Amino acid sequence: MPSIVEETLRAVGLEPAKAAELSQLVSNPPPGMFDPSELHAASEARIALLATIVAAARRQQFNDVLESLLNFVAAHTTQLNAYDIARFSHIRGMHLWRSQASICAATQSFNSSIDRLETIGTDEASHYVPRVMDTYGQFLSAQGLMYDARKEFESALVYREALHDDVGMAITLGNLGRLCMDMGDFNAAAQYLERDLHIVESSPDPIVAIQIQLLSHLGTCHFELGNFSESRALFTRTNELAENQKDWVGLSYAALGLRSE
């Protein structure tokens, strides 16, 4: 017998197989998506919103149903609270940017989400607003607005630091580090990337692929700053990890870095 979540997704217009597939993830959301307790006594609009959050995070899997979910939520916003509407504006902004290339509308959605979340000021809103700022920073960077993007990432980092959110800080620090590299500010980039690497390496189960990327980026920064011995040491570590993981891309970057002296 279909669950309430699955029945709601069918009512939205999803085919039974797709509704069943998505409802399983909504009922047992991946870490960081949302609190599963939000499903308790949830309205149809809230269920559809939570499904939209999952679908947006799994775009390759659910991109074909994302617009139907967004349209349903947009038509039922009276069932949502201010926090829900702020999250909806965030997801809608991502969809407008990535799937429809509607730059102006996406900008309005991101700004609306951030403004609402900062006005609400609850703990849940404070945890969510840096996620929107990170997305908005990526969006602005893609438009070539690097200084504006940097401000958004820096604002996100302030929230992450206040919340002592190590996972979130790692994401924002990585965004800042790569952006500063693109801007030619290799000194700032190195500082952000070193902090990011420390968080990754200090985690209980470090993701080696991310370590390889960060070491490679740091090696490039130190080379550009003229710290050639430090650069070589970083690329050597990159090479060792990439060899162990059979990461051919990482090995290629390490080889280029070691040959660039």
Side-chain angles (χ1 to χ4, degrees):
M1 181 176 180
S3 66
I4 294 175
V5 173
E6 187 176 340
E7 287 179 351
T8 300
L9 296 181
R10 289 187 183 187
V12 170
L14 275 62
E15 295 180 356
K18 186 66 75 170
E21 183 181 8
L22 181 54
S23 69
Q24 289 184 358
L25 286 171
V26 175
S27 300
N28 299 283
M33 293 281 181
F34 55 83
D35 188 335
S37 67
E38 290 193 64
L39 284 169
H40 178 67
S43 65
E44 285 189 342
R46 168 69 70 80
I47 292 172
L49 172 65
L50 299 179
T52 303
I53 292 171
V54 174
R58 301 285 185 93
R59 287 178 67 235
Q60 289 186 327
Q61 189 175 358
F62 297 110
N63 193 54
D64 56 331
V65 301
L66 188 52
E67 188 155 359
S68 294
L69 288 164
L70 286 164
N71 289 338
F72 182 89
V73 177
H76 296 82
T77 53
T78 55
Q79 297 181 25
L80 301 176
N81 61 28
Y83 176 57
D84 288 336
I85 293 172
R87 289 188 291 178
F88 170 69
S89 294
H90 176 215
I91 303 304
R92 181 173 179 269
M94 287 194 291
H95 181 68
L96 288 166
W97 166 31
R98 292 171 176 166
S99 297
Q100 298 185 6
S102 299
I103 304 304
C104 182
T107 300
Q108 292 174 343
S109 283
F110 290 134
N111 281 322
S112 174
S113 179
I114 293 169
D115 289 344
R116 283 181 183 275
L117 290 165
E118 292 190 320
T119 300
I120 296 167
T122 60
D123 285 345
E124 60 184 3
S126 295
H127 277 84
Y128 197 89
V129 69
R131 293 172 60 177
V132 187
M133 290 173 169
D134 271 324
T135 305
Y136 194 30
Q138 293 166 358
F139 167 79
L140 291 168
S141 178
Q143 312 315 311
L145 302 172
M146 293 186 176
Y147 289 97
D148 292 329
R150 185 168 179 174
K151 288 180 182 178
E152 290 300 323
F153 289 142
E154 289 170 343
S155 295
L157 186 59
V158 171
Y159 273 96
R160 305 285 200 191
E161 290 171 334
L163 295 165
H164 304 288
D165 177 7
D166 283 347
V167 173
M169 275 195 287
I171 293 169
T172 304
L173 288 165
N175 285 333
L176 269 168
R178 288 186 292 272
L179 179 69
C180 287
M181 288 179 72
D182 291 339
M183 296 175 73
D185 189 349
F186 292 101
N187 185 53
Q191 293 180 50
Y192 288 130
L193 293 169
E194 283 167 1
R195 289 180 62 188
D196 192 1
L197 181 63
H198 175 72
I199 292 171
V200 171
E201 292 183 333
S202 300
S203 66
D205 188 19
I207 301 174
V208 180
I210 294 178
Q211 289 178 275
I212 291 169
Q213 292 174 13
L214 291 172
L215 287 166
S216 177
H217 290 328
L218 271 170
T220 299
C221 289
H222 282 285
F223 180 83
E224 294 291 341
L225 292 168
N227 303 327
F228 300 122
S229 60
E230 180 68 15
S231 175
R232 184 170 187 81
L234 288 161
F235 278 119
T236 299
R237 287 180 62 196
T238 303
N239 188 74
E240 290 170 353
L241 285 176
E243 275 190 342
N244 185 55
Q245 295 293 307
K246 294 183 171 52
D247 182 338
W248 310 120
V249 174
L251 282 169
S252 298
Y253 279 112
L256 288 171
L258 291 169
R259 292 173 185 170
S260 60
E261 294 187 20

